Amino acid sequence: MNHDFKTYQEIKQYFKRACQIHKPCEVILFHNQSDIVSKLFSEVAQETDRIFVNKDLTTLQANELGTMKLESALPKWLFNAFDGKEGKACIIYLSEFHLASRQVQTNVLNILIKKDVEGIKFPMKTLFVLGARKEDEAAEGLTHTHTIKFYK
């Protein structure tokens, strides 16, 4: 399903509703305003009593996601998401997809499909949001995912 939002309030209401009904569980958000979108998810998480994890994908090395490490199978930046394993849901916002390396992009898309990292399932009711620019065609290939456009 595709959506095109023009105002902050419209998109905020969409995500608050998504958190309440727990559908969809992943969204690709095409946008050009990272600071505003990050603020939006912070507010939505607070208002819906969710844990908020915000990760800029350009800060990840190719082996930091989807590759087993000896010290831990779970990347440290994801620890907060698993704090809610027994109850509290979370929003995971993965920004700058279009600028990440191909390996990171592939690993992120696998997470969206499988809903796990190294075999560790994400908590129920986790909402994944992949932030990308319209120019990015790789993310549009996920046919089961809602896509949203939010440009100013």
Side-chain angles (χ1 to χ4, degrees):
M1 181 172 279
N2 298 319
H3 301 279
D4 192 355
F5 294 108
K6 301 293 183 207
T7 70
Y8 186 86
Q9 278 311 113
E10 286 178 329
I11 194 167
K12 185 175 180 180
Q13 285 306 113
Y14 171 85
F15 281 109
K16 283 177 68 173
R17 180 159 162 59
C19 287
Q20 291 168 350
I21 62 173
H22 313 299
K23 289 189 180 190
C25 58
E26 71 273 331
V27 173
I28 298 174
L29 176 61
F30 296 109
H31 67 89
N32 59 355
Q33 46 201 336
S34 293
D35 292 341
I36 292 172
V37 169
S38 182
K39 177 184 174 230
L40 167 84
F41 289 123
S42 180
E43 289 176 6
V44 170
Q46 185 176 23
E47 292 174 19
T48 59
D49 194 31
R50 287 178 172 244
I51 297 166
F52 177 51
V53 177
N54 185 358
K55 185 63 175 173
D56 179 341
L57 295 174
T58 63
T59 65
L60 291 178
Q61 299 298 316
N63 66 346
E64 287 187 87
L65 189 62
T67 302
M68 184 72 78
K69 291 186 169 189
L70 293 177
E71 68 273 8
S72 174
L74 186 63
K76 288 183 181 178
W77 62 271
L78 276 174
F79 283 172
N80 286 345
F82 289 88
D83 283 349
K85 190 111 178 134
E86 295 303 319
K88 197 165 188 179
C90 62
I91 297 172
I92 300 177
Y93 173 50
L94 305 170
S95 65
E96 307 300 340
F97 179 79
H98 54 285
L99 296 175
S101 72
R102 286 284 176 219
Q103 183 63 45
V104 169
Q105 289 180 352
T106 300
N107 290 338
V108 166
L109 292 175
N110 284 332
I111 286 172
L112 290 179
I113 292 166
K114 297 187 308 183
K115 309 293 184 288
D116 73 26
V117 174
E118 294 301 330
I120 302 169
K121 288 283 187 194
F122 281 92
M124 293 294 295
K125 304 174 186 172
T126 297
L127 173 62
F128 297 93
V129 182
L130 181 64
R133 286 192 183 148
K134 178 61 182 142
E135 299 86 34
D136 191 294
E137 298 298 323
E140 285 187 324
L142 295 171
T143 57
H144 68 287
T145 304
H146 287 211
T147 59
I148 295 175
K149 295 177 186 171
F150 182 53
Y151 294 105
K152 282 201 171 191

